[in-house]
Amino acid sequence: MIYAYISFFVLAFLLSVAVCYGIRRIAPSLGLVDKPGERKIHTMPIPTGGGLGIWFGVLFPLAVAQIGLFLLLNIAVLRSFVPETVAVHLDGFGFRSAQLWTLLGLGSLLVLLGTLDDRFNLSWKLRLGVQTLVAASAVFFGWRLTNFDATWLNAALSVFWIVGLINSFNMLDNMNGLSAGVAAICTAFLAAVMMLSPNPESMQPQFFVAGILIVLFGALAGFLYHNNPFRATMFMGDGGAYFIGFLLATLTLKATFAGAESRQTLFVPLLILAVPLYDTMTVVLIRLRNGKSPFVGDKNHFSHRLVDLGLSKTQAVLTVYLATAICCLGALLMYQVDFFGASLIFFQTVLVLLLVAIIEHTGRNK
């Protein structure tokens, strides 16, 4: 299984690099160019639409995997060549195929929405409405919480979680390599959790969710070749940010945190995604405090606040990476401790972020 995952990671990486390179060449003719502005950190027009490379880097490898799965399930002689450790999971993968392609179809709609927004600057009301509709559709097709007895509460919280993370990663996309890099760190840690923590029903690693995450990780790494803290030859655009946020939101809902015997595992997605959530909540609070709409962009993000403290843009992005990894590390321990220990890890992370907020606030005031 590990060799298959490595192969699909490499395929996703190479495809993302290649497709992003092609988009860079044709983006100006399509009007996909991010021009300098008051809220921008660049001084020259930069091609955007790199999210299309991430999208293709995810879709194509999973399509190849789907074709291979179809052949293995329907041609017995091929199945005989598959190791038993892999063969026992084929029927389960086949059962979940419909859910996977429903998810990718909905994610593709968000890529289209974001790309159109990059080109035509759509109204935030239209974008939020489509995001909510897509999130509600994902919940309808099974990508939702199952923690609470009230079905309506599970559905409402799931829609809120999905829409929130879609916009969190879009808001985080404000410096070179920031949103994609944070997403790659979150994706890698979440995939590790899925491999290390068994499904409480089958007592097997959660190969289905882990496989999607590894492909996403490869696609993100490919995009970071073109846009990283040290150089940027293209931007991801809203389409990529929407797609990343949507996948991470829905995959954390589908992972069996809710089905685990220990309720503390519900802390796992909160820890892994703590930094994007922190950035979103603090930015919204700052905008509301200043009497501005939370939907109007500004330079009050976590990364901007670090630059205000004296860090360079590259240092700020690397600092956010480090903060993300620190928060994610706690998630790896959630399955090893009881509820009390998990609560301590969770509140330690909260205290670290509060400490960061105090330092930021004090430094900016000075």
Side-chain angles (χ1 to χ4, degrees), residues 266-315:
L266 291 174
F267 290 137
V268 170
L270 295 176
L271 290 176
I272 287 178
L273 297 163
V275 168
L277 295 173
Y278 169 77
D279 178 68
T280 301
M281 289 188 292
T282 54
V283 167
V284 169
L285 288 174
I286 291 172
R287 290 174 182 173
L288 292 175
R289 186 187 63 189
N290 294 335
K292 297 181 179 179
S293 168
F295 300 102
V296 176
D298 55 30
K299 287 188 175 182
N300 286 312
H301 291 274
F302 185 16
S303 55
H304 295 137
R305 300 194 299 264
L306 291 174
V307 170
D308 289 343
L309 292 179
L311 277 68
S312 68
K313 294 180 178 66
T314 298
Q315 290 172 334

Side-chain angles (χ1 to χ4, degrees), residues 229-241:
F230 306 100
R231 69 170 191 141
T233 55
M234 75 179 312
F235 291 156
M236 180 164 60
D238 289 354

Side-chain angles (χ1 to χ4, degrees), residues 53-352:
I54 298 173
W55 171 77
F56 191 82
V58 171
L59 228 68
F60 189 85
L62 291 178
V64 171
Q66 182 66 58
I67 294 171
L69 177 63
F70 176 81
L71 295 175
L72 289 173
L73 290 175
N74 290 278
I75 302 177
V77 66
L78 292 178
R79 189 163 182 165
S80 64
F81 290 100
V82 178
E84 185 61 29
T85 54
V86 177
V88 296
H89 300 288
L90 294 180
D91 291 331
F93 287 156
F95 177 76
R96 292 196 175 191
S97 293
Q99 277 193 325
L100 170 62
W101 289 100
T102 300
L103 176 74
L104 294 176
L106 293 171
S108 299
L109 290 177
L110 290 174
V111 174
L112 176 62
L113 173 69
T115 304
L116 290 174
D117 183 43
D118 291 331
R119 178 63 180 85
F120 300 107
N121 194 23
L122 304 178
S123 162
W124 69 264
K125 295 179 181 179
L126 174 62
R127 287 181 280 125
L128 187 61
V130 175
Q131 291 167 8
T132 303
L133 181 61
V134 169
S137 300
V139 171
F140 176 79
F141 286 110
W143 300 87
R144 59 178 178 266
L145 286 172
T146 57
N147 299 72
F148 304 101
D149 294 332
T151 303
W152 68 268
L153 183 59
N154 286 323
L157 289 175
S158 299
V159 171
F160 181 77
W161 175 254
I162 294 170
V163 174
L165 280 174
I166 288 171
N167 288 284
S168 287
F169 279 94
N170 188 41
M171 294 171 73
L172 199 63
D173 188 24
N174 54 70
M175 285 190 183
N176 293 339
L178 183 56
S179 185
V182 169
I185 294 169
C186 295
T187 300
F189 273 95
L190 186 57
V193 170
M194 294 297 95
M195 297 297 290
L196 295 174
S197 59
N199 185 315
E201 297 178 0
S202 65
M203 298 310 296
Q204 293 289 323
Q206 300 178 54
F207 291 117
F208 176 70
V209 175
I212 301 173
L213 288 166
I214 289 170
V215 171
L216 175 60
F217 182 43
L220 288 168
F223 170 74
L224 285 168
Y225 174 81
H226 298 274
N227 182 296
N228 56 67
F230 306 100
R231 69 170 191 141
T233 55
M234 75 179 312
F235 291 156
M236 180 164 60
D238 289 354
Y242 291 172
F243 186 62
I244 292 168
F246 177 72
L247 284 187
L248 285 174
T250 49
L251 291 173
T252 51
L253 292 174
K254 195 61 179 177
T256 56
F257 306 120
E261 295 178 0
S262 301
R263 287 284 181 173
Q264 68 263 22
T265 55
L266 291 174
F267 290 137
V268 170
L270 295 176
L271 290 176
I272 287 178
L273 297 163
V275 168
L277 295 173
Y278 169 77
D279 178 68
T280 301
M281 289 188 292
T282 54
V283 167
V284 169
L285 288 174
I286 291 172
R287 290 174 182 173
L288 292 175
R289 186 187 63 189
N290 294 335
K292 297 181 179 179
S293 168
F295 300 102
V296 176
D298 55 30
K299 287 188 175 182
N300 286 312
H301 291 274
F302 185 16
S303 55
H304 295 137
R305 300 194 299 264
L306 291 174
V307 170
D308 289 343
L309 292 179
L311 277 68
S312 68
K313 294 180 178 66
T314 298
Q315 290 172 334
V317 173
L318 295 177
T319 299
V320 177
Y321 285 179
L322 181 61
T324 303
I326 290 171
C327 294
C328 288
L329 281 171
L332 297 177
L333 301 175
M334 283 296 168
Y335 291 87
Q336 312 299 323
V337 296
D338 57 16
F339 183 78
F340 179 72
S343 299
L344 288 179
I345 294 171
F346 177 75
F347 284 112
Q348 181 185 47
T349 303
V350 173
L351 291 174
V352 168

